[in-house]
């Protein structure tokens, strides 16, 4: 037989020949001695032989067998078919070479890849040991447990780059096991005899005492022990198979486990991610910005340190996957970050156009270079590079100093405005990208992945060594590596305890549950509150701030930000009027550092890492010049993206149907203009319906009026009470109801700090979250200007003439113009309606569940094509939006109701709450959708 011809021919008299493709010295001795067959051996038989050889009894003996079973199961390979074959037929001892347990002659090198023994390597093995008293008399050379560990580490070091990360695991299953099975002595004095090792390797013979154990007649186990062993063995085997399946297909297994496990157990599993959609072509739509301005916006820092590790750690850390062969990629790999919804970006836009084309950059015909005037007081925005090749929305924060003590800190990694406010759609291999639109990112998955990556870097063998090599260089000293390890542990403890665990503790104490945000949604208001009034204060050393946290339970779709600088009120709930407060508050919420500590000198209180100069420049870029400065009023900053019909010239689904547009324009003038105002760039509409033109100036009579403020180009948006709209109340209720505790020494007093608002005096320790946040951001911004020694006039120029006051309209949602609405799916403020088609149907008919993340755009329905019954199962890694949980209970923040068109049209428009117009016919619905595409 071929297998017999492959066996070594130097077997000792009475021995069975052993295949050179069996690289395990102990198994070779078992085969040579006839204790197991040399071909396929049932796992149960191998386990029984190792149990007997160990000399253990009772439960310890069973554990030896179970461990052996798991190792033997994977010895021939990790594919599902190979595992099943091993499970039912056994391990093939003739085919262990090149399997998962083979180190290819590495490690000790006593037995090489051809099964030849090298006596000099046995002598080297002996050099790590010392002389021990032989239990049978005299002394002999041997190695105890500590010496064996030293020997194995030296082997790994000698293997250098050839050593895989899992070699230390394999070694723990070799030499320490040999010590347990054939070692002499007890406790710390137990040693592995060099002479017996030589015999084992050279002659393939086991010590006589081990042979006696193997040939002794086994005592039959009682029925309880046999059942227990079978159950435990089965559980271990199942766990091994599950683990190997997770290594082979981590996202698929994580996705499935997360769906069936309780929430607390699911939290112990790295998040499942969707596969990146294949992209054959990419295009950035022309919105009036130059390529350099666009790239600067994508990567300029807000002064944020979003992740609790330095920039170079982030760039060096590996993804939270396990790889039995090779290493996983880096967290910073663009292809990996794309799976969280981020958009690829070049390192620079100064190269050849051909190099930029894969990123979607091309000529922009309407680009203007004067949209952002010079900042007052000689301030200059900072440069923005992307030398790390990170996706849109990532920025390196350099030159930062600790706001509490002024000490320099390493460069940080943070998210920019563009992370959440840069949109894209994907259609049949084409990626269409636009600035200012809602992102489709899932920040919670990224946070979870970072936590697991930090844990894996600490505890997966070999991973920290590679991490340290990338961060410190291969020649770093042991002391430098130890310092790095302690720093990584501190950062991990911070992320897992200060951030994750304490948040869960706080919301559990209040009896709250969180709502999954998922791809394309974020509960920004609650996140900002938790960051500023708990985490930032706790970092500053303020005690008893845990209760300031609230559950993340009101996620919203990332709002588009084009034309926002001209709005009287920003945010869905119309809660902020002052642009700098809006932007600085967002920067603090994305982890700009701020000092709340009473310990340092008082002049450092309120100091922060916010990059206000960059926030001001971004606002100017978005705003552009006065739209009334030209003969025909028009926005000139970041304009809304136009329907990309030209990118798909041969696709009927993208062609605008002129006849429907005209009918849709009439419907818009009759129904939509009441709240959303006239279209911003439709001359035909302005000519046909001059009294409803968006650009008609009207003095502001009250907060419910609509039109342009005659005192200046500020648009008074229409605001509707939540109870009238009947859309989900979650987001509007945050600022209306949430309270926070503020330490008295901070002297936060909205009545005093929010100048010109006429607020009544209130508590200085527990107050409205809305007012407290406005006051805190005001103080931090004032401190930024004070540190730069800006005069009162210069500060006034930066603030402008818009006050930092709460909206007197109360609990409302504001309507915005619908320019670019085609690019903002899913719809309603909480992202609960997948397309314009479903938004224009009666609320009760809308789908109540659908999948988000890595899916194609539907140009017909305008959004995501979802059937009436909704979607209940998603592709691996996508997130499921649903209105109810598995028990049928409504999920807070996820209502699809309100803003409904149903019933007969009423001439006087006195519809019940939640209804804003009569039901559309199917033709009318398609007409209006066609017109909305053109806005």
């Amino acid at each position: 037989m071929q297998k017999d011809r492959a066996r070594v021919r130097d077997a000792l008299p009475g021995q069975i020949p052993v295949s050179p493709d069996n690289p395990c010295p102990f198994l070779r001795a078992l085969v040579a001695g006839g204790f197991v067959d040399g071909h396929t051996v049932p796992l149960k038989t191998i386990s029984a032989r190792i149990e007997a050889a160990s000399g253990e009894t009772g439960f310890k003996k069973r554990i030896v067998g179970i461990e052996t079973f798991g190792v033997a199961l994977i010895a021939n390979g990790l594919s599902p078919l190979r595992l099943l074959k091993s499970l039912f037929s056994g391990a093939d001892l003739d085919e262990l070479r090149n399997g998962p347990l083979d180190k290819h002659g590495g490690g000790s090198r006593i037995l090489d890849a051809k099964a030849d023994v090298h006596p000099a390597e046995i002598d080297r093995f002996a050099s790590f040991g010392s002389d021990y008293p032989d239990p049978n008399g005299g002394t002999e050379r041997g190695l105890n447990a500590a010496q064996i560990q030293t020997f194995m580490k030296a082997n790994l070091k000698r293997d250098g780059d050839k050593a895989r990360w899992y070699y230390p695991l394999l070694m723990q299953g070799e030499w320490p096991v040999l010590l347990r099975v054939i070692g002499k002595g007890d406790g710390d004095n137990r040693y592995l005899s060099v002479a017996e090792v030589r015999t084992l390797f050279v002659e393939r013979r086991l010590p006589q005492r081990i042979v006696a154990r193997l040939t002794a007649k086994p005592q039959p186990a009682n029925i309880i022990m046999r059942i227990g062993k079978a159950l435990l063995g089965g559980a271990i085997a199942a766990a091994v198979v599950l683990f190997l399946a997770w290594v082979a297909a981590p996202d698929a297994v994580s996705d499935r486990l997360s769906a069936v496990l309780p929430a607390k157990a699911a939290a112990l599993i790295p998040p499942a991610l969707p596969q990146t959609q294949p992209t054959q072509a990419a295009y950035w739509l022309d919105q009036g910005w130059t390529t350099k301005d666009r790239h600067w916006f994508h990567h300029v820092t807000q002064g944020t340190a979003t992740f609790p590790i330095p920039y170079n750690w982030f760039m060096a850390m590996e993804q939270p996957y396990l790889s039995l062969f090779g290493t996983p990629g880096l967290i910073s790999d663009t292809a990996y970050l794309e799976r969280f919804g981020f958009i690829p970006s070049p390192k620079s836009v100064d190269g050849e156009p051909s190099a930029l084309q894969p990123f979607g950059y091309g000529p922009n015909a309407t680009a203007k270079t004067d949209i952002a005037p010079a900042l007052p007081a000689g301030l200059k925005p900072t440069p923005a590079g992307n030398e790390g090749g990170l996706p849109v929305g990532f920025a390196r924060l350099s030159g930062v100093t600790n706001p509490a003590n002024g000490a320099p800190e390493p460069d940080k990694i943070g998210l920019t405005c563009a992370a959440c406010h840069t949109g894209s759609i994907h259609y049949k291999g084409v990626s269409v990208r636009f600035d200012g639109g809602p992102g489709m990112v899932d920040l919670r998955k990224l946070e979870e992945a970072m936590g697991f990556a930090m844990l894996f870097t600490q505890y997966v063998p070999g991973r920290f060594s590679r991490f340290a090599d990338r961060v410190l260089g291969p020649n770093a000293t042991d002391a430098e590596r130890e310092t790095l390890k302690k720093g990584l542990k501190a950062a991990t403890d911070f992320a897992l305890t200060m951030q994750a665990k304490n948040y869960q503790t706080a919301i559990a104490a209040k009896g709250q549950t969180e709502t999954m945000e998922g791809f394309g949604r974020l509960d920004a208001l609650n996140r900002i509150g938790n960051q500023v009034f708990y985490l930032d204060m706790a970092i500053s050393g303020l005690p008893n701030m845990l209760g300031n946290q609230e559950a993340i339970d009101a996620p919203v779709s990332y709002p588009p930000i084009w034309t926002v600088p001209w709005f009287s009120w920003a945010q869905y709930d119309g809660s902020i009027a002052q642009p700098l407060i809006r932007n600085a508050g967002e920067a603090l919420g994305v982890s700009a550092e701020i000092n709340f500590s009473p310990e340092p000198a008082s002049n450092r209180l309120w100091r922060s890492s916010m990059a206000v100069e960059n926030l001001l420049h971004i606002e100017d870029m978005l705003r552009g010049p006065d739209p009334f400065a030209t003969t025909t009023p028009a926005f000139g900053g970041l304009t809304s993206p136009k329907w990309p019909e030209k990118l798909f010239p041969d696709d009927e689904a993208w062609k605008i149907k002129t006849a429907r547009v005209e009918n849709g324009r009439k419907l818009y003038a009759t129904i939509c203009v009441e709240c959303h105002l006239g279209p911003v760039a439709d001359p035909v509409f302005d000519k046909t319906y001059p009294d409803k033109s968006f650009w008609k100036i009207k003095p502001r009579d009250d907060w419910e009026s609509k039109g342009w403020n005659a005192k200046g180009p500020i648009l008074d948006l229409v605001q509707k009470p939540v109870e009238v709209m009947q859309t989900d109340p979650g987001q509007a209720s945050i600022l209306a109801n949430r309270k926070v505790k503020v330490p008295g020494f901070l002297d936060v007093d909205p009545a005093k700090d929010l100048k010109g608002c006429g607020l009544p005096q209130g508590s200085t320790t527990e107050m409205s979250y809305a007012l407290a946040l406005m006051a805190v951001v005001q103080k931090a911004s004032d401190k930024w200007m004070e540190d730069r020694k800006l005069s009162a006039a210069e500060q006034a120029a930066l603030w402008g003439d818009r006050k930092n006051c709460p909206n007197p309209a109360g609990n409302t949602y504001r309507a915005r113009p619908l320019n670019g609405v085609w690019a903002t799916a899913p719809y309603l403020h909480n992202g609960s309606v997948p397309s314009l088609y479903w938004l224009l149907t009666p609320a009760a008919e809308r789908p109540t569940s659908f999948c988000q993340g890595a899916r194609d755009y539907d140009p017909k329905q305008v959004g995501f094509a979802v059937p009436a019954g909704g979607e209940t199962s998603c592709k691996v890694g996508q997130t499921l939006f649903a209105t109810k949980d598995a028990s049928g209970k409504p999920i807070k923040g996820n209502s699809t109701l309100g803003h409904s068109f149903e019933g007969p049209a009423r001439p006087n428009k006195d519809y019940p709450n939640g209804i804003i117009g009569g039901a559309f016919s199917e033709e009318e619905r398609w007409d209006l959708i066609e017109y909305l595409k053109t806005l």
Side-chain angles (χ1 to χ4, degrees):
M1 292 176 63
Q2 185 175 358
K3 285 188 176 181
D4 288 332
R5 289 198 300 271
R7 294 179 181 278
V8 271
R9 300 303 179 187
D10 61 346
L12 296 176
Q15 281 190 342
I16 297 172
V18 184
S19 168
D21 289 327
N22 179 347
C24 174
F26 197 83
L27 285 177
R28 291 168 66 81
L30 288 178
V31 172
F35 298 107
V36 296
D37 184 76
H39 303 294
T40 300
V41 184
L43 303 186
K44 182 178 180 181
T45 301
I46 297 177
S47 300
R49 295 295 182 269
I50 304 298
E51 282 184 2
S54 71
E56 300 285 4
T57 59
F59 184 71
K60 288 184 177 180
K61 181 179 180 181
R62 307 305 177 212
I63 292 298
V64 170
I66 290 167
E67 291 173 343
T68 304
F69 187 98
V71 172
L73 175 66
I74 66 172
N76 290 118
L78 301 174
S79 71
L81 289 178
R82 180 64 254 188
L83 291 172
L84 287 173
K85 184 178 179 182
S86 297
L87 191 62
F88 291 105
S89 300
D92 192 334
L93 303 190
D94 287 342
E95 297 182 3
L96 297 179
R97 182 69 66 189
N98 296 321
L101 307 182
D102 183 16
K103 298 195 300 300
H104 307 283
S108 68
R109 304 184 189 177
I110 296 175
L111 190 72
D112 67 17
K114 296 180 180 179
D116 292 329
V117 177
H118 297 269
E121 294 295 340
I122 300 178
D123 294 337
R124 176 177 174 274
F125 170 74
S127 70
F128 286 85
S130 54
D131 293 332
Y132 290 87
D134 186 340
N136 298 320
T139 60
E140 64 175 334
R141 196 71 170 174
L143 280 75
N144 65 13
Q147 291 165 335
I148 285 174
Q149 293 295 332
T150 302
F151 167 67
M152 292 192 302
K153 288 180 180 178
N155 291 340
L156 286 173
K157 189 172 183 180
R158 182 169 63 163
D159 281 353
D161 293 339
K162 294 181 180 179
R164 301 292 189 181
W165 70 265
Y166 51 87
Y167 279 15
L169 291 177
L170 299 187
M171 288 181 170
Q172 293 298 331
E174 296 170 356
W175 293 103
V177 171
L178 277 180
L179 177 64
R180 284 177 60 188
V181 176
I182 69 174
K184 298 178 179 180
D186 299 307
D188 294 339
N189 293 322
R190 188 173 181 83
Y191 68 95
L192 189 59
S193 166
V194 172
E196 290 183 347
V197 166
R198 192 182 304 274
T199 300
L200 181 68
F201 275 88
V202 176
E203 301 178 13
R204 294 178 294 286
R205 285 193 312 186
L206 295 166
Q208 188 57 41
R209 65 185 181 282
I210 306 302
V211 172
R213 294 174 188 170
L214 291 168
T215 54
K217 187 176 181 179
Q219 295 291 325
N222 63 50
I223 186 65
I224 294 177
M225 289 297 294
R226 289 164 62 189
I227 293 174
K229 179 180 177 181
L231 291 175
L232 191 55
I236 293 293
V240 170
V241 170
L242 181 62
F243 171 75
L244 294 174
W246 185 81
V247 170
D251 292 294
V253 173
S254 293
D255 194 71
R256 184 60 186 155
L257 288 176
S258 296
V260 299
L261 291 176
K264 288 187 177 180
L268 303 176
I269 304 169
L273 301 176
Q275 288 300 315
T276 304
Q277 292 171 284
T279 300
Q280 284 79 48
Y283 303 94
W284 283 100
L285 297 183
D286 192 348
Q287 296 174 262
W289 279 359
T290 65
T291 295
K292 286 189 175 181
D293 280 341
R294 171 172 268 156
H295 195 255
W296 180 86
F297 172 71
H298 291 171
H299 298 290
V300 70
T301 182
Q302 303 180 79
T304 58
T306 310
F307 306 104
I309 56 175
Y311 174 86
N312 61 340
W313 293 17
F314 180 85
M315 299 301 293
M317 195 164 286
E318 292 173 5
Q319 299 163 16
Y321 296 125
L322 295 179
S323 175
L324 295 179
F325 307 102
T327 61
L330 298 176
I331 279 277
S332 55
D333 290 347
T334 290
Y336 179 67
L337 293 173
E338 272 191 86
R339 299 175 69 190
F340 295 94
F342 293 99
I343 301 170
S345 182
K347 293 182 178 181
S348 170
V349 291
D350 292 328
E352 290 294 321
S354 59
L356 298 178
Q357 204 166 24
F359 295 96
Y361 284 96
N364 26 355
T366 66
K368 301 178 180 64
T369 57
D370 58 351
I371 56 174
L375 294 173
L379 296 172
K380 294 183 181 298
T382 63
N386 187 31
E387 63 274 13
L390 294 171
V392 171
F394 286 82
R396 182 174 188 167
L397 174 60
S398 301
V400 65
T401 57
N402 187 295
N405 56 31
E409 295 185 338
D411 289 0
K412 304 294 181 69
I413 176 77
L415 295 180
T416 72
C417 302
C420 302
H421 298 293
T422 306
S424 68
I425 60 172
H426 197 275
Y427 181 77
K428 295 183 179 180
V430 177
S431 175
V432 182
R433 302 163 182 180
F434 38 89
D435 285 305
M440 192 50 67
V441 299
D442 190 330
L443 292 185
R444 174 57 67 88
K445 279 185 185 281
L446 180 57
E447 291 166 346
E448 292 172 348
M450 281 298 305
F452 279 102
M454 293 161 73
L455 282 172
F456 281 23
T457 302
Q458 288 185 80
Y459 298 113
V460 173
R463 189 163 296 198
F464 177 79
S465 178
R466 296 193 298 271
F467 172 72
D469 285 347
R470 296 186 190 107
V471 173
L472 302 173
N475 298 320
T477 65
D478 289 343
E480 290 171 328
R481 287 173 176 262
E482 187 60 29
T483 299
L484 178 64
K485 182 176 288 187
K486 289 179 179 178
L488 177 60
K489 184 179 186 308
T492 306
D493 290 346
F494 173 83
L496 297 182
T497 302
M498 285 283 286
Q499 291 180 305
K501 181 181 177 181
N502 287 359
Y503 164 71
Q504 294 295 339
T505 300
I507 66 172
K510 295 182 177 183
Q512 299 174 345
T513 56
E514 61 180 351
T515 298
M516 183 180 68
E517 294 163 314
F519 284 97
R521 300 204 309 162
L522 192 78
D523 185 358
L525 282 180
N526 272 326
R527 279 175 169 264
I528 291 172
N530 293 348
Q531 175 71 37
V532 173
F533 293 102
Y534 163 64
L535 199 58
D536 288 336
M537 289 186 172
I539 291 171
S540 294
L542 307 185
N544 306 319
M545 294 292 111
L546 194 65
N548 271 347
Q549 296 188 92
E550 294 284 329
I552 294 169
D553 59 7
V556 299
S557 176
Y558 299 107
I561 57 174
W562 47 73
T563 64
V564 166
W566 302 105
F567 295 170
S568 53
W569 298 100
Q571 310 291 11
Y572 286 115
D573 59 356
S575 55
I576 303 178
Q578 221 299 320
L580 179 54
I581 294 295
R582 173 196 347 124
N583 298 331
E586 183 268 337
L588 288 176
V590 191
S591 304
E593 298 179 345
I594 185 170
N595 178 34
F596 289 125
S597 173
E599 298 301 326
S602 60
N603 69 335
R604 289 187 178 139
L605 186 63
W606 301 109
R607 186 167 290 169
S608 73
S609 64
M610 291 191 304
V612 173
E613 65 273 55
N614 293 338
L615 298 175
L616 292 165
H617 190 69
I618 290 171
E619 185 74 10
D620 286 341
M621 284 175 58
L622 292 170
R623 182 190 300 112
D626 185 340
F628 291 100
T630 55
T631 304
T632 302
F635 291 118
L638 180 69
T639 58
S640 54
K642 300 301 181 184
W643 181 255
E645 177 182 9
K646 293 180 181 179
L647 298 181
F648 308 99
D650 300 322
D651 194 324
E652 236 359 89
W654 287 90
K655 291 181 179 178
I656 296 293
K657 300 164 184 63
T658 308
R660 285 198 180 276
V661 168
E662 182 54 40
N663 294 334
R665 184 180 284 116
K666 294 176 183 177
L667 289 169
Y668 187 97
T670 304
I671 299 169
C672 308
V673 74
E674 177 185 355
C675 294
H676 295 286
L677 309 182
V680 306
D682 181 3
V684 175
F685 184 97
D686 292 341
K687 183 177 180 180
T688 308
Y689 309 101
D691 59 322
K692 298 178 180 180
S693 171
F694 179 84
W695 300 104
K696 180 182 178 183
I697 297 178
K698 168 182 176 177
R700 182 172 61 180
D701 301 318
D702 54 53
W703 292 104
E704 289 295 321
S705 68
K706 54 186 181 292
W708 289 93
N709 184 346
K711 296 180 180 178
I714 300 297
L715 182 65
D716 291 331
L717 294 169
V718 175
Q719 301 172 82
K720 293 289 185 179
V722 174
E723 62 269 19
V724 171
M725 296 304 296
Q726 291 289 294
T727 50
D728 191 278
Q731 206 256 0
S733 67
I734 296 173
L735 295 182
N737 301 328
R738 184 173 175 178
K739 304 289 184 183
V740 292
K741 181 174 66 174
V742 182
F745 79 89
L746 290 175
D747 191 28
V748 174
D749 182 1
K752 178 183 66 177
D753 299 326
L754 307 183
K755 300 176 177 63
C757 298
L759 298 176
Q761 184 69 41
S763 168
T764 57
T765 55
E766 184 169 286
M767 61 187 69
S768 157
Y769 163 51
L771 296 179
L773 182 61
M774 295 169 75
V776 164
V777 179
Q778 177 84 44
K779 284 178 172 287
S781 302
D782 286 340
K783 178 61 177 173
W784 187 92
M785 297 180 192
E786 174 192 312
D787 284 346
R788 282 147 187 82
K789 298 180 171 55
L790 302 184
S791 68
E794 290 170 331
Q795 293 187 38
L798 294 179
W799 282 111
D801 58 1
R802 299 173 70 174
K803 294 180 179 179
N804 179 22
C805 295
N807 190 338
N811 210 16
T812 65
Y813 286 128
R814 61 107 175 100
R816 63 162 291 149
L818 295 181
N819 50 322
V821 68
W822 67 269
T824 62
Y827 296 97
L828 293 186
H829 71 276
N830 62 341
S832 61
V833 181
S835 68
L836 283 180
Y837 177 84
W838 288 117
L839 185 66
L840 299 178
T841 59
E845 298 177 18
R846 295 168 182 163
T848 56
S849 59
F850 62 94
C851 304
Q852 290 189 250
R855 64 179 298 164
D856 260 11
Y857 183 85
D858 177 36
K860 182 179 180 182
Q861 288 196 4
V862 185
F864 305 137
V866 176
E871 297 168 328
T872 55
S873 74
C874 300
K875 293 179 181 178
V876 169
Q878 291 181 333
T879 52
L880 178 68
F881 169 89
T883 59
K884 295 180 180 179
D885 63 19
S887 68
K889 181 182 177 182
I891 298 175
K892 187 175 181 181
N894 281 10
S895 171
T896 63
L897 303 179
H899 195 278
S900 183
F901 299 92
E902 58 185 87
R906 300 189 180 190
N908 56 3
K909 298 185 177 181
D910 59 340
Y911 296 100
N913 287 347
I915 300 175
I916 59 173
F920 294 109
S921 69
E922 191 72 359
E923 290 302 309
E924 287 175 329
R925 187 177 296 117
W926 290 121
D927 289 344
L928 184 52
I929 289 172
E930 202 69 14
Y931 179 64
L932 292 174
K933 293 178 184 179
T934 70
L935 301 184

